[in-house]
């Protein structure tokens, strides 16, 4: 529980550091694609943190970035191939944003600043914390965007081969709602901007 | 697709920053002043052009014949990382003046999603070489154009009285949202 709470509040990569925004904005049109992306990032981050913290003594300082990119890239490629074979729908859903995990600032930044200095267990726990924080944050963004923009909450749709039946919650519809604006790219920027603002407000109130 | 259309398509209506959300991190992070935006934009344009030429030939020359296209993510990111490193060296050696203004931005470009994104889109859209070049030029010009507009708005905004909790990044996102709305309506005119 404490890990999850820390991930959301203390070191929230998206809200307080504004890292890893490409995927945050792009995959949050439905709740489903958001949590799938979150899971992908968490798993990649988890495995990379183990490898990076294991080989931290061998890697010379001036080639650290290329080496870490290669490690992350390897895990992303493995993940891509797995998804392509077992869940081709999900692979198409995430599209180009799946390979873009390689250059996700959260993953690389964390590798460079933390995992290259700390031990394995610390890195594993930390990667979990950051991953869950990222997952919950994009879930929140996706929830706002989908509920307001489409009037639905997609729990399982494209990944139905994994979880069984499709599950989509339909919200009541009237003249003002759903507002298509939130499904467009412009709505993505708007939602994230307002959410970051609210996050700051909350932090201030708490203090 | 018509080349002229493709250019406008990538430059304005389907701008990589505003509609595909590529390169958002530097877009939000380094566009606090117009001067920074220019430097970053030029550096990104250079890297995008060089890397899309290189990766195009690597993909169709090496990866497709040897049937190893699944390695494209790793190969492309390696090409970009090497390119950025060598460009840094060349600029340091021959253009020390440029190095002063571009210096700190160059290493950041490796992790700029716009570069890897454009290169991957070239491949996934099955562009011919000419189309890929037009697309890369259009996209990188789009990046420069949007970041300079954005930086100027933000410079102006610094002098204005924004509510404390919306200052900085949040208001920047709202502005980006308005810009996206404007850019997306341009599609109807073409």
């Amino acid at each position: 529980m404490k890990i999850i709470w820390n991930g959301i509040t203390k070191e929230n990569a998206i809200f307080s550091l504004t890292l890893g925004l490409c995927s945050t904005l792009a995959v949050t049109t439905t709740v489903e694609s958001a949590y799938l992306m979150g899971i992908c990032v968490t798993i990649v981050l988890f495995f990379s943190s183990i490898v990076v913290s294991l080989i931290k003594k061998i890697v010379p300082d001036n080639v650290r970035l290329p080496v870490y990119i290669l490690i992350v890239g390897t895990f992303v490629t493995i993940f891509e191939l797995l998804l392509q074979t077992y869940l081709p729908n999900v692979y198409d859903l995430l599209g180009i944003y799946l390979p873009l995990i390689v250059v996700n600032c959260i993953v690389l930044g964390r590798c460079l600043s933390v995992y290259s200095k700390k031990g394995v267990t610390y890195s594993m726990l930390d990667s979990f914390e950051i991953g869950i924080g990222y997952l919950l944050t994009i879930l929140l963004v996706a929830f706002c965007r989908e509920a307001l923009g489409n009037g639905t909450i997609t729990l399982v749709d494209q990944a139905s081969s994994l979880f069984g039946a499709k599950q989509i919650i339909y919200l009541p519809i009237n003249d003002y709602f759903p507002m298509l604006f939130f499904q467009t790219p412009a709505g993505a920027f708007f939602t994230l901007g307002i959410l970051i603002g609210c996050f700051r407000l909350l932090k201030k109130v708490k203090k | 697709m018509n080349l002229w259309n493709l250019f406008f398509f990538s430059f304005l209506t389907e701008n990589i920053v505003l509609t595909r959300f590529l390169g958002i991190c530097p877009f939000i992070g380094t566009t606090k002043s117009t001067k920074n935006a220019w430097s970053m934009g030029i550096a990104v344009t250079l890297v995008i052009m060089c890397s899309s030429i290189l990766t195009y030939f690597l993909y169709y020359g090496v990866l497709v014949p040897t049937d190893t296209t699944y390695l494209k993510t790793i190969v492309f990111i390696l090409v970009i990382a090497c390119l950025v490193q060598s460009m840094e060296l060349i600029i340091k050696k021959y253009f020390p003046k440029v190095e002063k203004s571009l210096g700190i931005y160059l290493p950041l470009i490796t992790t700029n999603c716009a570069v890897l994104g454009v290169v991957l889109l070239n491949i996934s859209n099955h562009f011919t070489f000419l189309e890929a070049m037009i697309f890369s030029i259009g996209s990188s010009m789009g990046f420069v154009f949007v970041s300079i507009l954005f930086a100027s708005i933000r410079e102006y905004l610094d002098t204005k009285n924004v509510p404390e909790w919306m200052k900085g990044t949040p208001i920047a996102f709202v502005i980006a949202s308005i810009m996206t709305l404007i850019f997306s309506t341009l599609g109807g005119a073409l």
Side-chain angles (χ1 to χ4, degrees), chain A:
Chain A
M1 242 359 249
K2 210 183 141 220
I3 293 175
I4 296 176
W5 185 244
N6 270 352
I8 307 167
T9 53
K10 202 179 71 193
E11 310 197 39
N12 190 307
I14 296 171
F15 281 170
S16 49
L17 301 173
T18 56
L19 289 177
L21 294 169
C22 311
S23 49
T24 314
L25 291 161
V27 298
T28 50
T29 42
T30 65
V31 171
E32 190 198 24
S33 59
Y35 72 72
L36 287 171
M37 186 70 184
I39 294 170
C40 295
V41 171
T42 311
I43 295 175
V44 169
L45 189 62
F46 182 72
F47 284 113
S48 330
S49 77
I50 297 176
V51 176
V52 166
S53 56
L54 277 177
I55 62 165
K56 64 174 181 281
K57 294 228 171 80
I58 318 168
V59 183
D61 258 3
N62 45 356
V63 289
R64 260 171 38 187
L65 186 66
V67 170
Y68 293 166
I69 286 181
L70 253 187
I71 292 168
V72 179
T74 314
F75 286 116
V76 171
T77 307
I78 293 171
F79 216 78
E80 255 184 289
L81 286 174
L82 282 177
L83 278 184
Q84 209 172 4
T85 354
Y86 295 108
L87 293 167
N89 279 340
V90 176
Y91 180 78
D92 291 338
L93 185 73
L94 297 178
I96 158 179
Y97 299 100
L98 192 63
L100 282 179
I101 298 178
V102 183
V103 287
N104 192 318
C105 328
I106 298 178
V107 180
L108 276 180
R110 218 61 199 165
C111 284
L112 278 172
S113 65
V114 179
Y115 308 145
S116 58
K117 289 174 192 127
K118 302 278 170 116
V120 181
T121 28
Y122 182 89
S123 307
M124 271 160 71
L125 275 177
D126 184 87
S127 70
F128 205 63
E129 230 176 73
I130 298 290
I132 296 290
Y134 175 80
L135 174 64
L136 291 175
T137 318
I138 59 171
L139 255 185
L140 178 69
V141 180
F143 176 77
C144 294
R145 280 187 70 194
E146 205 196 347
L148 288 172
N150 208 17
T152 55
I153 298 167
T154 315
L155 295 176
V156 180
D157 182 25
Q158 299 294 327
S160 49
S161 58
L162 191 67
F163 298 109
K166 289 186 178 187
Q167 283 205 329
I168 303 173
I169 301 170
Y170 292 95
L171 302 174
I173 291 175
N174 57 36
D175 284 355
Y176 307 105
F177 181 83
M179 292 171 267
L180 206 68
F181 169 71
F182 286 97
Q183 286 278 297
T184 60
F189 282 113
F190 187 76
T191 318
L192 193 61
I194 298 291
L195 281 176
I196 294 176
C198 293
F199 183 74
R200 282 192 187 174
L201 212 59
L202 266 176
K203 246 183 161 178
K204 224 171 138 194
V205 171
K206 232 183 149 190
K207 264 180 195 164

Side-chain angles (χ1 to χ4, degrees), chain A residues 96 99-100, chain B residues 72-73 76 115-125:
Chain A
I96 158 179
L100 282 179
Chain B
K72 66 173 188 285
T73 315
F76 289 1
V115 182
L116 188 60
V118 168
V119 167
L120 285 171
L121 282 173
N122 277 340
I123 301 300
S124 69
N125 286 343

